[in-house]
Amino acid sequence: MINLNCQFIFSPFIIHGVMNRPTTRQQKPNSGNPIQTFGMFLQKHIKFILIMVCSATVITVLGMNGLRSDVSSSIPQPSSQVTSVTSQQPLRIEHNQNSSAQAPAVSFEKMVKPSSPKGTIVQPSSPIFPVQQASPEIPVTSQVRTKFGHFPYQEADPSRLVNAGKFVRENYERSELLDQEAYEAFQQMKAAAASQGVYLMIISGFRSITDQAALFERQIARRGSESEAARSSAPPGYSEHHTGYALDIADQQSDTDLKVAFQETAAYQWLVTNAYKYQFEQSFPLNNRQGINFEPWHWRYIGPPRASQIFAAARQAS
């Protein structure tokens, strides 16, 4: 294209040269007067000078237009596609729980989808507002539904249960089970008490939900309603005995099994003074906040992290 433009531009020069070619030898001007000589030069070549100036202007304009068109064609046009953040790529909100005075740190991830063209700007589908600070940790008690003041518990894994000894009264005896961790701790506590002349005996340990249901039904028949029965016996699914970490304790030398009178025995006095050393505690002390009747014989083992977690809600309510 530039070559054609050049031919078109320079054609007047060729025509001008042919038309103004002298047919006869002209007399040389007098070179004595420079001004006169320059005037004659301008008069003779004024058309050629004007044509040169116009041609140079045309060449410059055409060249700039051609360069501009070549540059614009070589630059890729930006895509007009705009990708929005969808619900499948949520904004990750990081809360700073160490300080309630600092605003939560908000980090925006995946601002460009993997399938989007490179460099595509993503605009949120809705305005981004400051995120409220996370509330303090909710107490465990508010996350658990109780029934007549009792907390729910799952049955222990049978593979964790071991024989914890026998309950013996006159001609009656039965074997009881405990979680292996609770059994070891109870054996240590039992031996320590015996060394001081106090003899502890297990009355009941692990109890299945089925057995608890039968026991609770008998309490309803005896006391007239579920709410009254629950003051002295947990509904099925809500007994600490399901865990294998709770047990009822008796004094071998006193016939006060499962009676409030147990608090007057040497065994109970020893437990109140020493049970904490072996990480046992009363589940339902006098005037407990769960509203359960005072049970001096009922104790739970809270030593290992597993047991502590199981009883966390109940302990906060105690």
Side-chain angles (χ1 to χ4, degrees), residues 43-78:
Q43 181 180 3
K44 181 178 181 180
H45 299 286
I46 186 63
K47 294 182 180 180
F48 177 76
I49 293 173
L50 292 176
I51 291 175
M52 286 288 292
V53 172
C54 293
S55 299
T57 304
V58 173
I59 292 173
T60 303
V61 172
L62 293 178
M64 292 297 295
N65 290 336
L67 179 62
R68 186 179 304 168
S69 62
D70 293 341
V71 172
S72 61
S73 62
S74 63
I75 298 177
Q77 297 298 325

Side-chain angles (χ1 to χ4, degrees), residues 190-215:
K190 184 178 178 181
S195 66
Q196 300 179 32
V198 177
Y199 299 95
L200 306 177
M201 180 174 59
I202 184 171
I203 299 176
S204 60
F206 167 77
R207 191 179 301 145
S208 68
I209 293 178
T210 301
D211 291 341
Q212 187 68 28
L215 177 62

Side-chain angles (χ1 to χ4, degrees), residues 8-274:
F8 172 76
I9 292 168
F10 286 105
S11 59
F13 304 140
I14 300 172
I15 296 173
H16 173 74
V18 173
M19 292 180 63
N20 292 278
R21 183 173 59 184
T23 55
T24 61
R25 178 178 297 270
Q26 299 180 358
Q27 186 179 0
K28 292 183 179 180
N30 186 8
S31 60
N33 191 346
I35 297 176
Q36 183 180 1
T37 303
F38 181 71
M40 292 178 63
F41 175 81
L42 289 178
Q43 181 180 3
K44 181 178 181 180
H45 299 286
I46 186 63
K47 294 182 180 180
F48 177 76
I49 293 173
L50 292 176
I51 291 175
M52 286 288 292
V53 172
C54 293
S55 299
T57 304
V58 173
I59 292 173
T60 303
V61 172
L62 293 178
M64 292 297 295
N65 290 336
L67 179 62
R68 186 179 304 168
S69 62
D70 293 341
V71 172
S72 61
S73 62
S74 63
I75 298 177
Q77 297 298 325
S79 175
S80 60
Q81 180 182 4
V82 178
T83 307
S84 300
V85 177
T86 63
S87 59
Q88 296 178 352
Q89 294 180 335
L91 302 179
R92 186 181 67 184
I93 310 300
E94 297 178 355
H95 299 288
N96 185 358
Q97 298 181 355
N98 295 328
S99 174
S100 59
Q102 297 180 355
V106 182
S107 61
F108 303 97
E109 293 184 340
K110 301 181 180 178
M111 292 301 289
V112 177
K113 291 184 179 181
S115 59
S116 301
K118 185 176 181 180
T120 301
I121 300 175
V122 179
Q123 297 179 351
S125 57
S126 59
I128 300 173
F129 298 97
V131 181
Q132 295 182 354
Q133 177 68 27
S135 58
E137 183 178 357
I138 301 175
V140 179
T141 53
S142 65
Q143 300 178 357
V144 181
R145 286 188 176 182
T146 61
K147 188 172 184 178
F148 302 117
H150 294 273
F151 289 88
Y153 298 101
Q154 296 181 351
E155 281 192 10
D157 183 353
S159 64
R160 294 185 58 88
L161 300 176
V162 296
N163 192 331
K166 294 182 178 181
F167 169 70
V168 179
R169 287 300 183 194
E170 298 181 354
N171 297 327
Y172 175 81
E173 68 177 44
R174 66 169 181 267
S175 297
E176 292 295 327
L177 302 176
L178 284 176
D179 183 275
Q180 55 192 7
E181 293 176 317
Y183 164 73
E184 293 174 0
F186 178 65
Q187 289 299 108
Q188 295 176 8
M189 184 171 68
K190 184 178 178 181
S195 66
Q196 300 179 32
V198 177
Y199 299 95
L200 306 177
M201 180 174 59
I202 184 171
I203 299 176
S204 60
F206 167 77
R207 191 179 301 145
S208 68
I209 293 178
T210 301
D211 291 341
Q212 187 68 28
L215 177 62
F216 192 65
E217 287 298 326
R218 290 196 295 269
Q219 289 292 340
I220 293 174
R222 182 180 304 173
R223 301 187 182 276
S225 67
E226 285 189 342
S227 60
E228 288 299 319
R231 293 182 61 84
S232 58
S233 182
Y238 291 80
S239 174
E240 292 185 351
H241 287 282
H242 297 333
T243 68
Y245 285 104
L247 71 161
D248 297 331
I249 301 176
D251 187 335
Q252 281 187 339
Q253 299 173 320
S254 174
D255 186 13
T256 55
D257 304 342
L258 305 178
K259 298 177 182 178
V260 177
F262 177 69
Q263 66 177 324
E264 301 173 358
T265 64
Y268 177 76
Q269 297 301 322
W270 189 92
L271 288 170
V272 169
T273 305
N274 299 283

